Amino acid sequence: MKIISINAGSSSLKFSLFNMDNEEVIASGVFERIGIDGSKFTIKYDGEKIEQEIELVNHTDAVKVLLEKLIDLRIIKSLDEIDGVGHRLVHGKDKYSQSVIITDEVVQDLENFKEFAPLHNPANVLGINAFREALPDVAMVGVFDTAFHQTMSKENFLYPVPYKWYEEYGVRKYGFHGTSHRYITKSVEKLLGRKDFKLISCHIGNGGSIAAVKDMQCVDTSMGFTPLAGIMMGTRSGDIDSSIIPYVMEKEGKNASEVVDDLNKVSGLLGLSEYSNDMRDILEKCEEQDEKALLARSKYVRRIVDYIAQYYVLLNGVDVICFTAGVGENSIPIRREVCEKLACLGVEIDLDANNQRGEFVKLSTDNSKIDVYVIPTDEELMIARDTLELIKR
Ligand code: AMP
């Protein structure tokens, strides 16, 4: 069985083609600058990597080229080998708590929910329509970023604002990175051989969120109504006092969306360090004892620790803490600093184990009261697994 996982952005389309018999990636790649000058694609397969500039007017063009290339490069013999297409979908509001077979109703809902994810939902629809045109008889599955968080209780997903905002405008915490947090949850289930555990899943990349999970279900998560909330990120502020927004609007003569744009694009690590949103750059600058980089790094760690502490109490204790995504999988000093600050909860890590990068590794010692792991996330595989499961039914 072969399944393609698709992540369609407004001008890009990423894909991974899986052989689901062994869950191996047969080919993967990205189509970039779709509809913009200089469009190109990269395909990796069998140890090879090809890159080519090619005019791609829209997503339909990109999918056409992708499918042609899969055959030309002999990655597959015919399109009949593709058994299913799984799409990463961003916002399913409170309607979708699980992955679904994509129908006209799902596409309509993505359109209807677009004010909740103005950049992502329309792009997801472009990706779906392109595959519907190219492979009309192949089943497609939608995997929502928000779905895993639908198990949060009202107490956890509501903001203390007028209730009408929730009832009439849908103002509530939705949470994101759900596919990644679910992948981590399932990996921990496999590791422990049971479902009854308490987990804090830390997805720390350029974007970042933390989820509190009990018995396989999300109890709370740090991102909120939008992905701007929660921990400090590469360019996003995470939680701030909302009164800052009108204050800065007046100071800088900006409108609300321009200030929110600043909170999304020039805040976080980049904002505080005035240098970079990339943790590797920040760590390098810290070596030079750069004051702002040091501050950005300690604030970043602090925000992660704050959420872990909060969720430790919410879950009434924790069995496992997991680090994943770019920083979580690779940044040795950030993991060390977070874990050192958790010593009061009984966390103890082996510094040699922590020196490993980007691999599945147990960081905690036998003395640690909480098991700490690094588990590389794999959202594409999770999408392919869901797709396979739903099309087999
Ligand atoms: P992601 O969004 O999951 O791809 O994560 C991207 C972020 O991971 C980058 O912006 C870097 O800050 C961070 N990252 C990746 N590799 C490393 C590394 N070797 N050391 C520190 N941070 C890293």
Side-chain angles (χ1 to χ4, degrees):
M1 291 285 255
K2 294 193 180 79
I3 303 280
I4 302 191
S5 278
I6 296 297
N7 185 350
S10 51
S11 64
S12 68
L13 188 135
K14 289 188 200 144
F15 79 95
S16 299
L17 175 67
F18 286 91
N19 174 356
M20 292 309 285
D21 299 334
N22 52 14
E23 295 194 334
E24 266 176 23
V25 178
I26 307 168
S28 65
V30 58
F31 288 71
E32 292 168 277
R33 300 181 64 83
I34 299 170
I36 309 173
D37 278 354
S39 44
K40 60 171 187 171
F41 69 81
T42 310
I43 298 181
K44 291 186 202 161
Y45 70 107
D46 215 8
E48 308 262 341
K49 177 176 167 180
I50 57 162
E51 265 184 278
Q52 195 179 318
E53 283 204 17
I54 187 166
E55 191 184 355
L56 302 167
V57 176
N58 52 33
H59 286 66
T60 306
D61 260 5
V63 171
K64 218 171 115 204
V65 173
L66 163 62
L67 296 176
E68 278 168 14
K69 288 290 161 193
L70 290 180
I71 291 176
D72 287 354
L73 298 168
R74 299 178 201 280
I75 296 166
I76 53 173
K77 288 196 191 76
S78 97
L79 296 181
D80 295 340
E81 286 182 42
I82 300 174
D83 298 294
V85 180
H87 291 266
R88 177 205 180 206
L89 306 179
V90 169
H91 217 304
K93 273 196 80 195
D94 45 6
K95 179 163 175 180
Y96 294 96
S97 56
Q98 281 175 359
S99 300
V100 287
I101 296 277
I102 294 176
T103 58
D104 290 344
E105 185 186 339
V106 174
V107 176
Q108 188 57 53
D109 283 335
L110 286 167
E111 299 271 11
N112 295 345
F113 303 159
K114 74 174 175 220
E115 64 180 334
F116 292 87
L119 294 179
H120 293 100
N121 274 22
N124 294 160
V125 172
L126 290 174
I128 291 171
N129 287 340
F131 272 93
R132 276 184 153 181
E133 229 176 292
L135 300 172
D137 300 322
V138 175
M140 297 207 286
V141 167
V143 180
F144 290 92
D145 246 23
T146 46
F148 183 61
H149 305 300
Q150 279 301 308
T151 47
M152 286 187 290
S153 68
K154 234 177 193 175
E155 183 182 308
N156 291 345
F157 74 64
L158 279 185
Y159 293 105
V161 293
Y163 200 82
K164 177 183 160 196
W165 294 7
Y166 163 58
E167 279 185 313
E168 293 189 20
Y169 317 135
V171 171
R172 50 159 286 176
K173 183 185 276 194
Y174 290 102
F176 299 87
H177 292 142
T179 309
S180 174
H181 291 302
R182 187 158 56 93
Y183 179 84
I184 297 301
T185 304
K186 293 222 169 233
S187 302
V188 172
E189 177 198 7
K190 206 164 154 194
L191 194 74
L192 302 184
R194 59 190 169 93
K195 291 181 190 290
D196 58 337
F197 55 83
K198 297 177 197 172
L199 162 72
I200 297 179
S201 167
C202 307
H203 178 113
I204 318 172
N206 192 35
S209 71
I210 300 191
V213 177
K214 183 168 187 284
D215 302 342
M216 308 295 289
Q217 298 206 323
C218 176
V219 178
D220 203 352
T221 191
S222 60
M223 279 181 170
F225 178 64
T226 71
L228 180 54
I231 58 174
M232 176 173 156
M233 301 172 228
T235 59
R236 286 178 230 158
S237 60
D239 300 334
I240 61 157
D241 178 345
S242 42
S243 304
I244 294 169
I245 297 171
Y247 181 76
V248 173
M249 280 166 68
E250 204 162 307
K251 291 281 174 201
E252 299 209 337
K254 289 181 171 168
N255 64 31
S257 35
E258 286 169 330
V259 177
V260 171
D261 241 28
D262 287 347
L263 294 173
N264 268 305
K265 294 182 183 154
V266 293
S267 298
L269 285 176
L270 175 64
L272 273 191
S273 70
E274 295 189 316
Y275 181 63
S276 172
N277 65 310
D278 192 301
M279 185 53 85
R280 284 164 289 202
D281 297 338
I282 299 295
L283 294 175
E284 255 179 58
K285 266 281 187 221
C286 288
E287 296 287 307
E288 301 163 20
Q289 298 304 311
D290 181 90
E291 203 178 311
K292 286 180 181 157
L294 286 165
L295 185 69
R297 165 174 154 176
S298 57
K299 185 79 192 172
Y300 187 87
V301 168
R302 168 76 196 278
R303 279 291 169 96
I304 296 168
V305 171
D306 284 353
Y307 265 97
I308 294 177
Q310 189 192 132
Y311 290 161
Y312 178 90
V313 174
L314 179 71
L315 293 171
N316 191 21
V318 170
D319 301 307
V320 180
I321 295 172
C322 246
F323 290 103
T324 195
V327 177
E329 290 167 30
N330 296 295
S331 183
I332 293 161
I334 298 297
R335 287 198 306 246
R336 192 190 61 233
E337 283 168 39
V338 169
C339 290
E340 277 170 2
K341 290 195 185 314
L342 298 173
C344 59
L345 303 182
V347 169
E348 187 183 287
I349 62 162
D350 176 339
L351 294 180
D352 288 337
N354 188 45
N355 282 339
Q356 298 179 39
R357 263 216 179 91
E359 292 158 44
F360 180 99
V361 49
K362 185 175 182 182
L363 302 185
S364 48
T365 63
D366 290 344
N367 284 334
S368 183
K369 290 205 177 112
I370 301 173
D371 287 343
V372 184
Y373 288 94
V374 176
I375 300 181
T377 193
D378 197 339
E379 289 160 281
E380 292 76 22
L381 177 58
M382 197 74 242
I383 291 169
R385 283 181 183 165
D386 281 8
T387 304
L388 181 66
E389 199 187 311
L390 280 165
I391 63 173
K392 274 202 312 204
R393 278 185 199 164

